Amino acid sequence: MDVAAYLETKRQLIDEALEKVFDNWREPPKLLLDSMRYAVFSGGKRIRPILTLATFEAINGSKNRLWILPFACGIELIHTFSLINDDLPCMDNDDWRRGKPTLHKVFDETTAILAATALLIKAYELFSASEAPATTRLRAIQTISEVIGASGIVAGQLMDIKTNSQSQRLNPKLVSKIALKKTAEFIAASIKIGAMIAQASEREISELWRAGIELGMLFQITDDILDAKTDKKNQPTLVKLYGLTGAQARAKSYARNAKQKFIQVGKRFMPLVLITDWVAKRK
Ligand code: GRG
């Protein structure tokens, strides 16, 4: 399988579904619509919804897409919500994202905050409207809420920001926990949601979660390695903690563990193994 072609096909599928979400959105003010569109269609890799779709299809094939696409789209909208917030002056204060000016720079902070909020709420509307059986749908919504809430991404962001502003020595446990909470659990949840909606067994769901955590840590450490050359911020990254060579060694080990775990769950999860390789090698 050509993984680059696979990712491109899935990215297009997600983009078409996201376009439909915007086309069917009933009459938001033009300013909100323009700002949400700017944030959502600005060149994201769509890795989280692709993982959701890839996991679902590994179990279920291409039938019942209307069960999973609302979850895949909602997950991307939540990711976009987090990036808009992350870039705000009161958070990371970034002027650029994906080589383009950040949302609050093109519009303003008020519009950016409102656009992000509307995207988060839309995600929950989409989840509720999935055609998956109600019990499964509710369990999936509970999972995503746990991962993004006060014990998840929000916690990771707070730890990150508060660690930035203190000039203390980096604490390995804390830096790893920030990566786990800000990034790895959301990646693992994107996979878990695909498995849950496909009605995988409890054993498969928990094994895929564990493999997803390894992939999520690989994703963050690779991000830190790629950012290391340009990073001028006082952020507690895994590269600052382990050094470049140490981080590269850890990346290899996360990739090995993730692939081993995906293969152990079953051969049908081979696309997730190939995506792991792609994440490890991305430039
Ligand atoms: C409740 C979701 C939520 C957020 C509120 C602002 C905030 C708290 C959290 C910030 C989380 C954050 C920005 C984590 C960084 C994760 C990360 C590695 C982002 C880059 O992901 P890519 O490479 O981005 O998938 P693209 O550009 O491809 O979409």
Side-chain angles (χ1 to χ4, degrees):
M1 189 177 100
D2 175 353
V3 70
Y6 174 87
L7 290 171
E8 181 51 24
T9 309
K10 299 297 174 204
R11 194 192 60 72
Q12 280 174 17
L13 196 86
I14 304 290
D15 274 5
E16 279 162 24
L18 283 168
E19 282 290 355
K20 277 195 196 132
V21 169
F22 278 87
D23 289 347
N24 295 333
W25 209 319
R26 280 183 48 216
E27 295 175 23
K30 186 173 180 319
L31 180 61
L32 260 186
L33 201 56
D34 289 349
S35 53
M36 291 188 297
R37 271 193 171 278
Y38 180 85
V40 172
F41 299 102
S42 60
K45 293 182 287 299
R46 314 295 195 210
I47 194 72
R48 294 160 191 77
I50 290 175
L51 287 168
T52 306
L53 201 56
T55 310
F56 179 83
E57 287 182 351
I59 299 163
N60 201 59
S62 56
K63 65 180 196 296
N64 292 334
R65 277 233 167 100
L66 293 179
W67 290 19
I68 197 62
L69 276 178
F71 278 94
C73 289
I75 283 170
E76 185 64 14
L77 297 188
I78 292 174
H79 169 61
T80 311
F81 160 90
S82 79
L83 299 182
I84 298 170
N85 274 279
D86 196 47
D87 292 336
L88 289 172
C90 64
M91 299 267 184
D92 269 9
N93 193 18
D94 270 313
D95 293 351
W96 298 92
R97 171 155 306 270
R98 302 164 175 156
K100 296 182 180 142
T102 46
L103 192 61
H104 65 272
K105 283 278 155 191
V106 178
F107 295 83
D108 52 40
E109 276 183 62
T110 310
T111 310
I113 290 170
L114 292 173
T117 308
L119 290 173
L120 175 64
I121 294 168
K122 187 58 155 185
Y124 278 85
E125 186 189 325
L126 293 175
F127 298 156
S128 317
S130 153
E131 291 184 8
T135 321
T136 316
R137 201 180 340 136
L138 286 175
R139 272 190 71 202
I141 295 174
Q142 185 180 0
T143 296
I144 195 82
S145 307
E146 282 167 5
V147 161
I148 68 171
S151 312
I153 298 184
V154 174
Q157 180 74 351
L158 190 71
M159 286 188 267
D160 195 8
I161 302 264
K162 295 298 177 192
T163 311
N164 287 349
S165 54
Q166 295 160 7
S167 56
Q168 61 192 26
R169 276 194 56 197
L170 290 182
N171 169 344
K173 264 198 182 153
L174 181 63
V175 181
S176 296
K177 190 156 185 199
I178 292 171
L180 181 73
K181 291 289 162 189
K182 274 189 73 169
T183 305
E185 286 187 352
F186 192 27
I187 299 248
S190 304
I191 293 170
K192 184 174 178 179
I193 300 291
M196 285 173 124
I197 299 294
Q199 310 202 296
S201 69
E202 291 306 315
R203 184 188 60 81
E204 279 183 321
I205 293 172
S206 56
E207 286 177 5
L208 285 167
W209 167 266
R210 281 194 286 276
I213 293 289
E214 300 287 335
L215 173 57
M217 291 301 289
L218 168 69
F219 192 87
Q220 185 59 60
I221 206 163
T222 308
D223 218 53
D224 287 354
I225 292 169
L226 292 173
D227 280 353
K229 290 175 201 121
T230 52
D231 186 21
K232 292 178 199 77
K233 283 189 220 147
N234 183 27
Q235 268 184 318
T237 71
L238 292 158
V239 170
K240 284 181 193 150
L241 180 63
Y242 299 119
L244 191 57
T245 322
Q248 282 163 339
R250 272 168 196 268
K252 276 202 177 125
S253 142
Y254 285 130
R256 201 172 40 241
N257 292 345
K259 288 195 288 181
Q260 231 169 41
K261 287 183 195 295
F262 284 131
I263 290 167
Q264 265 166 21
V265 198
K267 280 206 190 88
R268 57 188 176 163
F269 296 101
M270 194 47 79
L272 297 177
V273 173
L274 298 178
I275 295 174
T276 305
D277 270 333
W278 179 85
V279 169
K281 287 179 192 146
R282 84 193 164 98
K283 295 203 166 55

